[in-house]
Structures are given as structure tokens and as C-alpha cells.
Amino acid sequence: MSTDRSVPPTNTGLTGTGPAPLPAVSREVRLAARPVGTPVPQDFELADAAVPALAEGQVLVRNTWMSVDPYMRGRMDDAPSYMAPFALGAALEGSAVGEVVASRSASVPVGATVSHFLGWREYAVLDGAAATVVDVSAAAPEDYLGALGATGLTAYAALTRTAPVREGDVVFVSAAAGAVGSIAGQVARQLGAARVIGSARGPHKTKKLLDVFGYDAALDRHRGDLSGQLERAAPDGIDVYLDAVGGDHLRAAIAAIRPGGRIAMVGAISGYDATGPVPGPDNLFRAAAQEATLRGMLVTSHLDLFPEWIAKAAGLLADGTLRTEKTVVDGIEHAADALLGVLGGANTGKMLVRLGIAAR
């Protein structure tokens, strides 16, 4: 990641409360180039930006944690999708939490911890209406980017609405050691699944599925023959599949799907870096013959479930029933490395960047 140290003229009209001076400059990560195939560090740049004065109704947030997620890879391309592409030369964006250090919003006071969507920068200026005050007495701030954030909501919505789990179901989850998958298996169990099977990369992660995240069986992507592994783990087939990978995983799930099965398509990370057409499963007619449902899922269509999910998940987190892991990278200067890591499967659980701390 290249570094741009040019500082634009600062706005000294920013005011706030408290003894600490408010910042004139904030570091941010910008998209320097659109990747061809797998992204590389040179596709990003670390730059300094002036912190503007607050307009009426706005707040200044010192970001403390930010999320990096696989969907961000798609936004690096200049192509139509469900979210607009990142702009070249501009700061990236994504979920973050932080402390309000100045406010001109009647509803968001100084000192509040908030979640919002202007990550990839140390300080964010945003409308108070775009900041959600979170309860840090109920959970750690970073949990609102993971289990209590869009990550947890994705697992919950996928398995209650898109491909609902029923009592006694056999459930298969791909990328099961990742942010969504590590929660999804536990959600499936809470919803009454009789058997929960996950796939992950390598023996370390498959052991985590069994020992930490409560899976009954773990498939190792590195071993190949995913269809054979799934057949052995679920000899009578599966009822629900949460797909975050696509490709061979989707093909294996269709081969194993039982009559009336449900598939929630939440991602296809196996094809994110493709530079040409991505092969699809060659057994789609089996889904028709089994009267199975394949349904896409965007978490943004299910935000109304947030209160319900947080009410359930906060208690499960507090009593240890919901087990989570985080992979933490320190310092905004390493945020691009964190994204490249999550795209390459380097994380277990949620990948997070802790801001304000330089890696040593």
C-alpha cells in the first residue's frame, strides 16, 4: 500500500467539548487502482485528509474498530452490483464503531459509542441520523461489527427467512470458520437443526469447527472431493445450505439436497477474483427435481430484524452460549493487508482492524 503524505488545507472551525484538542487531519485508506484478478497492496494508498468543520446535525467520530469483509472485493471493480463501486482516489467505506468526540446533533452526544458506515479512516464526519448509539455495557464495541452487527444478522436472516431451518434439519454451511459461518452453525442449532456440517480450509480451521463452533462434522476444502466428503458426513442428504463460496460447494450441496431443501446464496467468494466467466454447478436440474429453493440474500433487505437478533444474540454472548473468535490487525496502515487476508482466508471468525494502534 503506497502512502500519500500531502495534507490538504485544514478547516479550523471544528469545535467540541473536553480537554483533548480535536484533530485537523485524519488518515484514510483510498482506492488507488482497480485490481485485475487478485488485489495487491499497490491497489490501495494511505493518505492524509483534512477534518472538516461540523455542520448542524453532524457528529465527529474517532473510529476505534473497523470491519473488512469479502463483499468489499466486488466494490473495487467498476461494475454494476447491489452496492456502488468504490471511487478511485477516494476513501473506501464500511462498517466501523467509534467514540463521538464532537457533536452538533441533539440525539448523539459527545462520549457516545456509535456504529456507522464510514470506516477506512481514523476520524469520520457524518450526520447524526447515520450513527447508531450502541450499548457497550451489554457487549464490547467491536461485537457490534461481528456477532451483533451485519455479520450476525446475515447468519440469522439467512437461516430464518431465506432458507429457514426447521426442527430436525441437516444443515450445511460453507466458509464455516469465517465471520458469518462461525455464527451460522450455532444459529442453526438454536433453530432446531439435528446435524450441522461445515466446510473450512485446512485442519486447524476444521478442528475449530468441531471444538469451538459446535459443528458435528467438518469438511476440509484442501482435501478435495467436497461432494464425497459431504456424502460421508450426511449420507441421507441435507435440508439447508448456506452458500458463501459458490463453485464446487454449491454443486456438492445441490447433489446432496433433499426434497424441499432450501439454499441461501449469500456469497460466492471462490469467483471474486476471476478475470473470466466463472463455471457454475452442472447439476442444477437436480434442484428442480428435488423441488429445492435457491434464493439470493442481501443483509440490507433484512435490517428490520436487527432488534430481534440483537435481543437474542446479546444474551447468548453474555452467557457464553454463542462462541465467537476475532482476527485482529492493528493500525489503519495495515487495513489493506487485513482485507487481502480475509479474501485469502487468513481469518478465523471476524476480521477486524483496531485503529489508533500501530502494529509492532
Side-chain angles (χ1 to χ4, degrees):
M1 181 169 62
S2 61
T3 301
D4 176 3
R5 287 300 179 192
S6 60
V7 182
T10 60
N11 188 327
T12 58
L14 185 63
T15 60
T17 61
L22 295 172
V25 174
S26 170
R27 292 187 297 171
E28 62 185 30
V29 179
R30 298 173 181 169
L31 183 62
R34 298 204 184 278
V36 177
T38 303
V40 295
Q42 291 74 25
D43 294 328
F44 307 85
E45 67 173 354
L46 183 66
D48 292 326
V51 177
L54 296 185
E56 187 65 32
Q58 290 187 321
V59 297
L60 174 65
V61 181
R62 179 178 64 84
N63 287 334
T64 53
W65 294 88
M66 57 168 271
S67 175
V68 293
D69 301 283
Y71 81 87
M72 294 174 175
R73 173 61 186 87
R75 296 192 68 191
M76 296 178 73
D77 295 330
D78 188 11
S81 187
Y82 62 93
M83 295 185 76
F86 293 130
L88 278 174
L92 282 71
E93 59 186 19
S95 297
V97 294
E99 179 188 358
V100 176
V101 295
S103 176
R104 294 187 64 187
S105 168
S107 60
V108 185
V110 170
T113 299
V114 298
S115 64
H116 60 89
F117 205 63
L118 289 183
W120 294 90
R121 66 207 79 196
E122 293 175 313
Y123 288 86
V125 173
L126 62 151
D127 291 339
T132 300
V133 177
V134 298
D135 182 3
V136 293
S137 68
E142 61 269 28
D143 286 331
Y144 290 93
L145 298 177
L148 301 184
T151 295
L153 181 62
T154 298
Y156 185 67
L159 298 179
T160 57
R161 283 185 174 173
T162 310
V165 173
R166 301 166 185 159
E167 193 75 27
D169 277 349
V170 177
V171 177
F172 174 39
V173 178
S174 60
V180 173
S182 59
I183 294 172
Q186 298 174 78
V187 169
R189 186 79 71 197
Q190 290 284 323
L191 294 172
R195 184 165 174 79
V196 184
I197 301 161
S199 71
R201 180 182 296 180
H204 174 73
K205 288 189 176 183
T206 53
K207 188 173 188 300
K208 288 273 188 181
L209 297 189
L210 302 173
D211 296 348
V212 178
F213 301 129
Y215 280 86
D216 296 300
L219 317 182
D220 187 345
R221 293 172 58 190
H222 275 173
R223 290 174 52 197
D225 187 23
L226 199 74
S227 292
Q229 290 188 63
L230 182 57
E231 184 177 1
R232 290 188 290 274
D236 296 322
I238 63 172
D239 301 288
V240 171
Y241 171 50
L242 192 157
D243 185 26
V245 176
D248 62 340
H249 280 66
L250 182 54
R251 186 189 188 286
I254 292 172
I257 203 75
R258 296 203 279 213
R262 284 88 60 204
I263 296 176
M265 303 171 70
V266 303
I269 195 169
S270 66
Y272 285 174
D273 293 335
T275 56
V278 178
D282 59 5
N283 58 347
L284 276 174
F285 185 72
R286 176 174 169 78
Q290 297 292 79
E291 296 186 300
T293 300
L294 286 77
R295 185 178 177 188
M297 185 266 183
L298 299 178
V299 70
T300 50
S301 297
H302 302 278
L303 299 181
D304 62 297
L305 279 179
F306 246 138
E308 178 182 320
W309 167 243
I310 290 177
K312 293 175 182 290
L316 296 175
L317 266 181
D319 68 15
T321 301
L322 180 59
R323 303 184 69 180
T324 64
E325 288 202 9
K326 307 174 184 73
T327 302
V328 176
V329 171
D330 282 319
I332 194 169
E333 60 271 33
H334 298 298
D337 298 328
L339 178 57
L340 299 182
V342 82
L343 293 173
N347 59 302
T348 298
K350 181 69 178 178
M351 176 72 89
L352 295 169
V353 177
R354 181 164 43 198
L355 302 180
I357 300 177
R360 292 174 173 80

